[in-house]
Amino acid sequence: MASGWINIETAMDSVKTLTVDTDRFLHLGISVSHMIGVFILTQLLRQISRTVLPKSVYPYVAELLCLYQLTICSLENGLIIYPEYGMVLYAFIMYVLTIGYYVAFDGNGNPCGVFNELIQKRITFPSVSSAAAKMACNVIGGLVALQHIKEFWSVGALDSHLHHVEVMKQPCNSAMKTYVLYGVTAELIATFIVRFVGGLSVGGKRWHKFIFATVVVAVTLTGADYTGMMFNPALATAITSNCVGHPIQEHVLVYWIGPFLATILVVPTLSIVNQSKQQTKRKPHSQSAVNGSVTQQHDNTLKKKTRKRKKYY
């Protein structure tokens, strides 16, 4: 009889475990479906905007859509998936998302990218105003995404969604957990590494996006406890601006000035690296040309000597 009761209790525990696991998979499916839905929505909006809008206007819409997409997926992955499913799944989804952004984005999706384009051109009033407008679109895209998240989560598909809706009604806690100078340094280094790897195109067309995504995940996880590791000023503005204990001047220094300084440093660094690569490629060619010339001269000398010898014989 006792043995029978033990078996029944064991069976009930198994059913409860299965139910819990099923619920966890269901919750994960809802979050992942939300992110996939955002990818589909933004792609549709891109196609419609390209068709309807003038070519001169579309780049600004593209910047808005990139940040809209990036911010929603970052919040869903960071606030919903990470606390419930842990770092491994969070990192894997971030990796997949980064590859998705790489393929889907037709804008910079980052004010640093816009700034990078600006400093490599001749700086004029139209170029500066265009860059400023694109950065503004980045910020607007992030803020629209924040409103989207609040509306979607308030539907209550998950308890964690409702919980975070209530949390968002309260003053937010800043993602920066260190001194301002350390924060500026962390965001500067992170931005430099990511933009340097991105600009270097390591791995060529076939493998670059996978290498780039790996670097993004590694850098994010390394510094997440210090600044949230945004290396994107517009994303940081959407997520952590005006939070408790985080004055606006600190926010600008850490999340805007730091990444912009890194962007300035990346441009000459990439130029030096690319020049050295080109010189390395030219050297074997030059050497082979020299060797070929020497060989040709040697052959001509032999021919002349041979002809002279024939004359003497």
Side-chain angles (χ1 to χ4, degrees):
M1 187 73 173
S3 177
W5 278 109
I6 290 172
N7 289 335
I8 291 172
E9 289 174 358
T10 304
M12 291 299 292
D13 289 339
S14 299
V15 170
K16 288 179 181 177
T17 303
L18 181 61
T19 303
V20 170
D21 289 342
T22 304
D23 287 344
R24 281 173 60 82
F25 279 119
L26 178 62
H27 294 172
L28 178 61
I30 291 171
S31 285
V32 171
S33 297
H34 181 206
M35 290 185 284
I36 292 172
V38 169
F39 265 78
I40 294 171
L41 174 63
T42 49
Q43 283 303 104
L44 287 174
L45 290 173
R46 287 184 180 104
Q47 293 294 335
I48 294 169
S49 299
R50 285 195 201 103
T51 305
V52 174
L53 297 174
K55 289 184 178 180
S56 59
V57 175
Y58 179 72
Y60 303 96
V61 176
E63 294 296 341
L64 188 151
L65 289 174
C66 287
L67 250 295
Y68 173 79
Q69 183 175 356
L70 174 64
T71 305
I72 292 172
C73 294
S74 297
L75 288 170
E76 189 73 41
N77 191 29
L79 295 183
I80 304 301
I81 291 175
Y82 176 56
E84 188 169 350
Y85 299 94
M87 184 177 290
V88 174
L89 185 58
Y90 165 74
F92 174 74
I93 291 176
M94 189 195 306
Y95 176 81
V96 174
L97 286 171
T98 304
I99 295 171
Y101 303 144
Y102 188 96
V103 173
F105 281 11
D106 53 357
N108 290 287
N110 190 331
C112 293
V114 178
F115 183 61
N116 180 73
E117 290 179 349
L118 174 65
I119 60 179
Q120 293 192 71
K121 295 177 181 177
R122 182 182 176 186
I123 297 178
T124 61
F125 178 76
S127 65
V128 172
S129 59
S130 175
K134 287 180 180 178
M135 291 181 194
C137 288
N138 285 153
V139 174
I140 292 168
L143 297 176
V144 171
L146 196 61
Q147 191 60 38
H148 166 110
I149 279 286
K150 290 178 182 178
E151 295 297 328
F152 181 82
W153 286 356
S154 64
V155 173
L158 298 176
D159 290 339
S160 53
H161 283 172
L162 289 174
H163 168 71
H164 280 290
V165 169
E166 293 302 317
V167 170
M168 285 180 170
K169 293 177 181 178
Q170 308 300 321
C172 60
N173 294 317
S174 173
M176 194 173 74
K177 308 296 182 186
T178 187
Y179 298 109
V180 174
L181 181 59
Y182 293 165
V184 172
T185 305
E187 287 290 325
L188 187 152
I189 293 172
T191 305
F192 182 90
I193 292 171
V194 171
R195 296 203 65 79
F196 179 75
V197 172
L200 206 57
S201 297
V202 180
K205 290 183 179 180
R206 185 175 181 181
W207 299 105
H208 176 61
K209 55 182 170 288
F210 303 107
I211 295 171
F212 180 72
T214 302
V215 171
V216 167
V217 172
V219 170
T220 302
L221 295 182
T222 300
D225 290 337
Y226 299 101
T227 63
M229 208 78 329
M230 310 285 180
F231 44 88
N232 186 323
L235 179 64
T237 298
I239 292 176
T240 196
S241 61
N242 294 322
C243 287
V244 175
H246 185 56
I248 188 64
Q249 63 270 22
E250 290 185 4
H251 176 83
V252 171
L253 279 171
V254 173
Y255 295 109
W256 284 82
I257 302 300
F260 276 14
L261 288 175
T263 304
I264 293 170
L265 293 173
V266 164
V267 173
T269 306
L270 279 174
S271 178
I272 292 168
V273 172
N274 289 329
Q275 285 177 6
S276 64
K277 274 185 175 182
Q278 290 175 0
Q279 289 174 358
T280 304
K281 287 179 181 178
R282 286 172 186 168
K283 280 182 181 179
H285 177 72
S286 301
Q287 189 63 37
S288 63
V290 171
N291 291 340
S293 178
V294 171
T295 304
Q296 185 65 35
Q297 289 176 2
H298 180 65
D299 290 343
N300 290 338
T301 304
L302 286 175
K303 286 178 182 178
K304 286 179 182 178
K305 286 183 178 180
T306 304
R307 283 193 291 268
K308 286 179 181 178
R309 284 173 187 166
K310 283 181 180 178
K311 284 181 182 179
Y312 279 109
Y313 286 110

